[in-house]
Amino acid sequence: MTATHGNAPAPIEVLRSLERIPEPGEAEQSFVRLHRNERQQPLPEWFIERLRTIVTSELLTSYPVADALYAELERHLGVDPGWVLLTPGSDAATKALFHAYVEPGSDAVILDPSYAMYSVYAEMFGARAIRIPFDESFQPDLDLLRASIVSGVRLVILANPNQPTGTLIAEDDLVELAGLARACDAVLAVDEAYHPFSSQTIVQRVHEFPNLAVLRSFSKASGLAGLRLGYVTANDELIRSLFKVRSVHDVNAFAIRCALEVLRAPEVIDDYVTAVQAGEDVLRARAEAMGLEVLPTAANFALLRVDARCDPAELVARLRQRGYLIRGPFTAPGLAPYVRVTLGPPDLMAAFADVLESALVEQA
Ligand SMILES: Cc1ncc(COP(=O)(O)O)c(C=O)c1O
């Protein structure tokens, strides 16, 4: 019998109960957006000028060619040809991992809280998500994580640094987890979307563990979120499996050329990472003076504990009225007292701190 679903045909079973958050529209563009961990400083004008010269008719009329970017990334990562796959955002690399490795009825291990799409993809591909909680000081339960990597698990995916907690799992622990995953034929995916805000990386270990995949993004430190480009590096067999599930020519030609320019001008990233670290110091000092706690972070965002001064939902609303968007309130375990703020350069963080201060003293 044909299933019906309102006026349109019903989608496949797993999608019927799956909820997706709508993507933001133009209404948000007039705000200072400290809620999506985007770059908060314009790319340098000389760099934009360079990108402008990339657009030619040939670029637009041809299907994309990525050989030069692959070669540059392989050199940059120290891996052989065939060990990298470009994806339209690192999110697409996550989806490809679920698509290629997770079957209905199998298990996927994720941190909770973490990047929201991991549980969406687990549901979409019919997996049971095994969620590893954090303790009160936002350390993940590593014993439970180790104990959860057993037969039936196909994918363990860990954002490192994690989002929204900003926490890091140490390299030694990741190496141990990679070994455990290997023993039960599971992939360990380490999502380094926030590299190099944290310089810690496990990339070199892909040579040691054929089941290790490392994901990177051009959206965060590189500042190219609008171009939708990321990549995954892993053993070439694993990469071939991911290649099979991607849509054809899924990464666009302009993004490919712009990424090449970023890799050739590392100061565009390095200067921004330095500015964000200085901005974090400004925000921390100002917030602490207001009686707010800023959790340590290895990324370009931080959790602020605000409940001693204001209800988090109320604070988010007051900041919105003042033209600033931040993330919250959270429903995830342990996160209710916090809001998440994208970090930026010192002048922006000082301006945000002024607005935060006025929002805190507003009479309810
Ligand atoms: C941990 C993590 N992974 C992946 C992504 C997706 O990044 P991209 O823009 O490369 O798809 C995000 C975006 O916020 C993220 O926080």
Side-chain angles (χ1 to χ4, degrees):
M1 201 177 75
T2 316
T4 54
H5 182 76
N7 293 323
I12 56 172
E13 180 77 36
V14 288
L15 296 188
R16 291 181 205 162
S17 56
L18 189 71
E19 294 296 337
R20 292 287 298 272
I21 304 164
E23 283 164 26
E26 275 185 26
E28 287 194 354
Q29 295 303 105
S30 58
F31 288 85
V32 180
R33 298 181 304 279
L34 303 182
H35 67 321
R36 279 192 275 160
N37 306 335
E38 295 158 330
R39 183 179 170 112
Q40 298 297 324
Q41 189 176 55
L43 289 161
E45 191 51 37
W46 62 263
F47 186 71
I48 294 291
E49 275 308 315
R50 197 176 283 180
L51 301 193
R52 282 198 182 101
T53 66
I54 290 172
V55 183
T56 60
S57 175
E58 169 76 6
L59 182 93
L60 301 179
T61 56
S62 314
Y63 282 110
V65 173
D67 301 22
L69 180 56
Y70 274 115
E72 190 65 31
L73 277 173
E74 287 152 9
R75 202 185 57 76
H76 176 81
L77 298 166
V79 299
D80 285 338
W83 285 55
V84 178
L85 182 69
L86 290 165
T87 55
S90 63
D91 180 79
T94 299
K95 188 178 183 190
L97 282 161
F98 276 91
H99 199 169
Y101 288 97
V102 172
E103 282 165 315
S106 62
D107 294 333
V109 179
I110 60 177
L111 299 173
D112 185 15
S114 193
Y115 177 51
M117 294 308 290
Y118 302 153
S119 38
V120 170
Y121 293 136
E123 199 175 337
M124 193 178 283
F125 290 100
R128 187 168 63 118
I130 300 175
R131 294 167 198 278
I132 308 299
F134 287 76
D135 66 16
E136 276 135 42
S137 49
F138 285 103
Q139 292 310 308
D141 186 341
L142 287 182
D143 290 335
L144 182 62
L145 180 50
R146 288 186 201 99
S148 301
I149 304 176
V150 290
S151 162
V153 170
R154 298 306 328 280
L155 177 63
V156 181
I157 183 158
L158 306 172
N160 210 46
N162 188 45
Q163 197 268 97
T165 55
T167 47
L168 275 174
I169 297 179
E171 181 170 349
D172 288 353
D173 291 319
L174 290 174
V175 166
E176 188 189 352
L177 297 170
L180 292 171
R182 188 178 182 181
C184 60
D185 203 27
V187 172
L188 172 69
V190 179
D191 179 349
E192 296 185 352
Y194 293 94
H195 180 84
F197 292 114
S198 153
S199 56
Q200 186 185 314
T201 177
I202 195 162
V203 155
Q204 278 312 309
R205 303 284 187 155
V206 295
H207 296 108
E208 211 175 308
F209 294 100
N211 64 321
L212 174 65
V214 181
L215 280 55
R216 293 269 182 90
S217 174
F218 281 95
S219 302
K220 305 300 181 182
S222 302
L224 301 179
L227 294 181
R228 309 303 302 126
L229 190 67
Y231 60 90
V232 51
T233 182
N235 173 283
D236 53 349
E237 262 182 68
L238 197 157
I239 292 293
R240 278 198 295 277
S241 297
L242 299 182
F243 185 84
K244 290 181 188 177
V245 299
R246 70 163 209 160
S247 1
V248 72
H249 299 308
D250 59 351
V251 165
N252 79 75
F254 185 60
I256 290 168
R257 288 294 317 279
C258 292
L260 204 48
E261 295 303 335
V262 172
L263 293 175
R264 288 173 180 162
E267 66 272 30
V268 171
I269 300 176
D270 297 345
D271 293 352
Y272 187 61
V273 170
T274 305
V276 167
Q277 280 156 357
E280 180 187 346
D281 293 343
V282 169
L283 180 63
R284 189 177 300 282
R286 293 284 308 274
E288 283 172 3
M290 295 174 218
L292 309 179
E293 185 192 357
V294 182
L295 295 192
T297 179
N300 68 333
F301 54 81
L303 286 175
L304 266 64
R305 181 163 191 153
V306 298
D307 61 327
R309 293 286 314 271
C310 189
D311 170 64
E314 175 64 25
L315 182 63
V316 171
R318 290 183 192 174
L319 286 168
R320 190 183 177 92
Q321 281 162 3
R322 289 165 168 78
Y324 283 75
L325 300 179
I326 62 167
R327 182 71 81 205
F330 290 104
T331 52
L335 281 183
Y338 294 89
V339 294
R340 193 196 72 197
V341 178
T342 300
L343 302 172
D347 52 347
L348 175 68
M349 292 295 98
F352 171 67
D354 291 345
V355 174
L356 180 62
E357 201 155 22
S358 89
L360 286 172
V361 298
E362 181 185 308
Q363 296 303 313

